[in-house]
Amino acid sequence: IMVGGLRLAMRQYFLGDWFAASQHVPFTSREDGLPRVAIYGAGAAGNQLVAALRMGRVMRPVAFIDDDASISDRVISGLQVYKPKHIQRMIDATGAQEILLAIPSSNRGRRREILGFLEGFPLHVRSVPGFMDLASGRVKVDDIQEVDIADLLGRDAVPANEELLEHCIKGQSVLVTGAGGSIGSELCRQILSLRPTTLLLFEHSEFNLYSILSELEERVTRESFPVKILPILGSVRDENKLLDVMRTWHVDTVYHAAAYKHVPMVEHNIAEGVLNNVIGTLNTAQAALQAGVANFVLISTDKAVRPTNVMGSTKRLAELTLQALSRELAPVLFNQKSNISHVNKTRFTMVRFGNVLGSSGSVIPLFHRQIKSGGPLTVTHPKITRYFMTIPEAAQLVIQAGSMGLGGDVFVLDMGEPVKIVELAEKMIHLSGLRVRSDKNPHGDIAIEFSGLRPGEKLYEELLIGDNVVATQHPMIMSANEDHLSWEDLKSKLTELISAVAQDDYTRVRQMLRETVSGYAPDGEIVDWIYQQRRLEP
């Protein structure tokens, strides 16, 4: 009696209200103050998660949900298994407040279906990572995370072509500019896995450079990679520094990710946008020409297509610069004091794509912060849409696209369908277990407010200027045939643009961008801070 009674007492204490749940009756047991959670997925990962939760005593598992008909209505690990269509019954019986997704082997399409179904219930949805992230082989409480927004897009990445990945990297010396940024740092992570001999991290932010260097060095030590990693503090505005670096380490491939990308910020700081995005690209390209670099890949943006802002127009001008250089057999360098020409041995390639999830300045981290603080979520316009892709997928496709070009190619990544930002905001609120507060639902938890389009912002982004696009050997990469200028014509326009920037003549800067960048149609007045302040002065 003592042994049996003790076992029953311990079972009730650790396993919770399994009997009440199995009888589909409302829970009435003691409160232990722990959040009550249901586990979606009664497989190996789900059972490991239940064990971890019981040991950790930070959440109380109360039920399983699984769409496998062979185990529905069974009791596993002391927890009743419910079919998805019986989730409301499960909530009533167990008082579950949260659902943890333990389906690491499911593809993104399936996860998107599940998340769409769960949106209709007042439950906070979180998940454990995929199997690739669970290196230890066991699920831990610390592994629980917010739902990956990429799952809401429902797109599975196409398997990489190993030959394309390795072509410009394996056994070579590689330089990444903007190595500490969102895209630059991910490029560095993936390049490291492809075993270059040397990886040069070129970055003007000391903190960002230190952060990515520490991460990569830790990985090199852990995985014994035979790669030499060198952090180089410097700016792409310094052509001499770039040339010294490329010549000293005999760089074979350059990935040029350094750029200012925040649209309103560049709109208010026009000179810096031009100098960094245009002249920085020109400097890096000319250094590559002089150093005899074999491959040069520019990270571009969908905002370069028919731009309405300075950022987009400067990125298109950067593309035009590389297009012009690549078509000259021996381009004369852009330097008034020098007529030195260099035989063009560099293959210039541009890769254009949309927004990446979770990058600095991205809407996703902003929404997460606003939800945690109780809202409201701020969206600029009810009809605004954007293309999205995960950072790892974008970086992988950039590397593969950079291996395919013949010279002067503009590649466009398949971004899928555009996403309405307001719908994304609503999904994030629902999956946090909250309701949208609106005129139709005044008792909701978090409101969505529309702040209006910011300077230079477009409702819709595009990926192509014209309709001339052809398929490549990769299903997610297309080649665009865009208009270009000759190097001699472009040099004269760049000279005039630089002169206007030096004189803070932003009216002339805007006019030069209009004349050079096809489709550039600025929306609204010039909002550069210096320009506005000088207009106020008597």
Side-chain angles (χ1 to χ4, degrees):
I1 291 173
M2 289 177 62
V3 171
L6 181 60
R7 287 174 63 86
L8 285 171
M10 294 297 285
R11 185 180 182 88
Q12 175 66 16
Y13 181 78
F14 283 110
L15 302 189
D17 304 316
W18 60 273
F19 179 76
S22 67
Q23 302 303 308
H24 309 304
V25 296
F27 74 100
T28 56
S29 71
R30 62 174 173 78
E31 282 293 334
D32 53 12
L34 299 180
R36 307 170 74 85
V37 299
I39 315 298
Y40 199 115
N47 278 273
Q48 288 178 18
L49 181 56
V50 167
L53 292 174
R54 285 170 174 162
M55 291 294 292
R57 303 290 295 164
V58 293
M59 297 179 187
R60 189 177 185 198
V62 294
F64 278 119
I65 303 163
D66 204 293
D67 47 16
D68 185 348
S70 66
I71 62 173
S72 61
D73 294 325
R74 286 178 53 188
V75 174
I76 297 178
S77 296
L79 301 180
Q80 176 68 34
V81 182
Y82 290 85
K83 295 178 181 178
K85 65 181 180 180
H86 294 150
I87 286 182
Q88 190 57 57
R89 181 194 297 175
M90 180 275 296
I91 295 173
D92 296 337
T94 65
Q97 305 154 303
E98 186 169 342
I99 285 186
L100 304 180
L101 300 182
I103 46 174
S105 60
S106 295
N107 61 36
R108 284 220 169 104
R110 176 61 184 142
R111 292 171 77 89
R112 182 182 184 181
E113 289 178 17
I114 292 171
L115 291 172
F117 177 73
L118 294 177
E119 270 193 75
F121 299 96
L123 296 164
H124 184 186
V125 182
R126 293 197 284 171
S127 86
V128 295
F131 276 138
M132 294 299 290
D133 297 319
L134 299 176
S136 66
R138 292 193 59 81
V139 179
K140 303 183 290 292
V141 174
D142 291 344
D143 293 323
I144 296 170
Q145 60 190 22
E146 294 297 329
V147 168
D148 188 348
I149 301 302
D151 291 333
L152 295 177
L153 303 181
R155 254 176 36 133
D156 285 303
V158 173
N161 182 321
E162 289 298 322
E163 186 179 344
L164 289 177
L165 281 177
E166 295 177 350
H167 181 70
C168 297
I169 295 173
K170 189 172 183 178
Q172 300 183 46
S173 178
V174 180
L175 168 70
V176 179
T177 68
S182 303
I183 290 293
S185 59
E186 182 59 31
L187 281 170
C188 292
R189 294 182 192 103
Q190 297 198 22
I191 288 167
L192 183 63
S193 301
L194 297 169
R195 310 293 178 98
T197 55
T198 306
L199 176 55
L200 299 160
L201 316 176
F202 196 91
E203 172 62 55
H204 80 279
S205 166
E206 183 185 29
F207 175 77
N208 288 352
L209 183 60
Y210 173 78
S211 298
I212 186 60
L213 174 66
S214 301
E215 178 187 331
L216 296 181
E217 284 184 332
E218 197 175 296
R219 190 172 161 203
V220 164
T221 302
R222 185 175 64 248
E223 301 181 34
S224 300
F225 281 135
V227 180
K228 186 177 183 180
I229 302 177
L230 294 165
I232 309 292
L233 270 174
S235 168
V236 292
R237 307 257 281 272
D238 186 345
E239 185 179 352
N240 291 329
K241 179 66 174 285
L242 286 162
L243 182 56
D244 282 347
V245 171
M246 291 183 200
R247 279 180 171 167
T248 301
W249 283 282
H250 308 288
V251 171
D252 299 293
T253 301
V254 172
Y255 292 96
H256 182 51
Y260 290 141
K261 63 178 184 178
H262 195 271
V263 169
M265 192 73 74
V266 174
E267 208 69 19
H268 289 300
N269 297 272
I270 292 175
E272 292 302 306
V274 171
L275 293 173
N276 203 60
N277 294 358
V278 181
I279 306 307
T281 300
L282 175 63
N283 290 343
T284 312
Q286 291 194 147
L289 278 171
Q290 295 177 79
V293 170
N295 310 294
F296 187 106
V297 183
L298 169 70
I299 312 302
S300 193
T301 171
D302 57 357
K303 293 176 176 60
V305 178
R306 281 181 280 275
T308 58
N309 51 68
V310 174
M311 194 283 279
S313 64
T314 57
K315 291 298 286 185
R316 176 57 187 147
L317 193 47
E319 290 181 358
L320 286 167
T321 300
L322 297 193
Q323 287 177 295
L325 285 172
S326 86
R327 284 170 170 78
E328 295 293 314
L329 293 176
V332 178
L333 299 184
F334 185 83
N335 185 338
Q336 299 290 340
K337 300 177 182 178
S338 172
N339 291 318
I340 301 172
S341 63
H342 292 261
V343 176
N344 188 356
K345 298 178 181 179
T346 305
R347 184 174 58 91
F348 292 105
T349 303
M350 293 135 274
V351 185
R352 189 188 289 164
F353 55 92
N355 298 272
V356 288
L357 293 170
S359 65
S360 60
S362 168
V363 70
I364 306 301
L366 173 63
F367 283 169
H368 275 307
R369 290 195 300 270
Q370 290 176 336
I371 288 172
K372 284 183 179 179
S373 64
L377 269 63
T378 52
V379 178
T380 56
H381 193 282
K383 293 184 178 180
I384 195 167
T385 64
R386 288 293 181 266
Y387 290 99
F388 284 103
M389 179 178 281
T390 65
I391 295 177
E393 184 183 7
Q396 190 179 80
L397 290 173
V398 163
I399 292 172
Q400 293 175 88
S403 299
M404 293 194 295
L406 300 175
D409 308 80
V410 178
F411 290 109
V412 179
L413 304 188
D414 182 351
M415 302 291 296
E417 294 299 316
V419 177
K420 288 189 74 171
I421 302 300
V422 67
E423 291 180 1
L424 186 62
E426 290 170 352
K427 287 179 182 293
M428 291 182 66
I429 292 172
H430 292 152
L431 293 174
S432 297
L434 304 170
R435 296 172 300 165
V436 178
R437 187 167 67 246
S438 63
D439 293 338
K440 293 181 180 179
N441 184 22
H443 302 295
D445 303 294
I446 293 184
I448 296 176
E449 294 183 354
F450 299 105
S451 56
L453 292 176
R454 297 170 296 181
E457 196 168 39
K458 295 170 70 173
L459 275 180
Y460 313 104
E461 299 292 2
E462 305 166 90
L463 288 165
L464 294 169
I465 297 174
D467 297 323
N468 301 320
V469 63
V470 295
T472 68
Q473 64 194 89
H474 195 291
M476 300 291 287
I477 303 172
M478 300 170 289
S479 178
N481 297 313
E482 306 284 34
D483 294 334
H484 62 275
L485 298 173
S486 71
W487 177 232
E488 288 303 317
D489 287 345
L490 188 61
K491 276 202 303 180
S492 64
K493 292 182 181 297
L494 288 176
T495 300
E496 194 169 344
L497 179 64
I498 292 170
S499 174
V501 168
Q503 297 170 34
D504 289 333
D505 187 350
Y506 298 113
T507 302
R508 185 62 184 146
V509 168
R510 176 181 277 197
Q511 184 58 36
M512 286 304 305
L513 290 174
R514 277 178 182 270
E515 293 174 8
T516 312
V517 176
S518 175
Y520 174 48
D523 185 14
E525 296 295 318
I526 298 173
V527 295
D528 181 90
W529 296 129
I530 293 176
Y531 176 84
Q532 288 189 323
Q533 182 61 32
R534 287 185 175 172
R535 289 185 67 187
L536 295 175
E537 295 174 355

